[in-house]
Amino acid sequence: MPSPASPSASPSPAEGRAAKAQATAWLAAALDALPAHVCLVDGDGTILWVNRAWRTFAADNGGQRQAVCEGANYFKACEASIAGRDFAARLREVLAGQRDLAEVEYTCHAPAEERWFVATATRLDDGATPRAVLVHHAVTTHKRTDHRLAQAQR
């Protein structure tokens, strides 16, 4: 019979819960370390979780937490722009299982600077409730470089 310290011993329920909690904390910390804005939505578009970059961007740009963070409806937030409505339509297809991935490039200019992003939605298929992870990645540097190259070629 293996001893409790041997590698073949099964973890106790408490050890299993502790290991799961530790893995969840590491995952959240890893997602918070990313510079991209990341959120998780359910099949109705309700935002279930956002990372630190998402929260920081919202706070820095006057976003109201109740409109853009946990508990808010992502589809409603998308209604303000054509690109947002386009991405919302593609996200609905991802959540319905009609496509695996959706991607849209969009502008989100601030009074002091022009900014561009690429939003990507990927379906999370756990066999139960449809969910998607959304990533908004800043591409402003690339857009500015492309613009300078185009200007230089004229």
Side-chain angles (χ1 to χ4, degrees):
M1 182 159 134
S3 70
S6 74
S8 61
S10 297
S12 71
E15 291 170 328
R17 286 189 298 277
K20 185 175 181 178
Q22 183 64 55
T24 300
W26 284 339
L27 178 59
L31 291 170
D32 275 342
L34 296 174
H37 313 143
V38 181
C39 84
L40 177 66
V41 298
D42 69 11
D44 295 323
T46 301
I47 298 173
L48 303 173
W49 181 88
V50 300
N51 74 340
R52 181 178 325 158
W54 186 287
R55 288 179 202 287
T56 300
F57 185 84
D60 289 351
N61 291 279
Q64 295 181 358
R65 182 178 169 81
Q66 66 272 19
V68 295
C69 290
E70 291 90 348
N73 188 277
Y74 187 85
F75 295 129
K76 185 173 181 177
C78 289
E79 292 173 2
S81 72
I82 293 170
R85 290 188 297 272
D86 181 40
F87 187 62
R90 294 179 191 196
L91 171 57
R92 283 184 174 95
E93 292 173 354
V94 167
L95 289 166
Q98 298 168 340
R99 60 167 58 207
D100 294 327
L101 179 75
E103 188 172 272
V104 169
E105 183 176 303
Y106 66 97
T107 60
C108 185
H109 300 322
E113 74 173 315
E114 293 185 329
R115 302 179 297 201
W116 290 265
F117 293 85
V118 171
T120 305
T122 307
R123 183 178 169 86
L124 298 177
D125 194 2
D126 65 359
T129 306
R131 292 186 178 94
V133 62
L134 311 180
V135 179
H136 292 249
H137 183 73
V139 294
T140 301
T141 302
H142 300 295
K143 294 297 279 187
R144 289 181 180 155
T145 300
D146 289 348
H147 180 71
R148 282 193 299 273
L149 289 172
Q151 292 293 340
Q153 292 176 352
R154 291 185 186 164

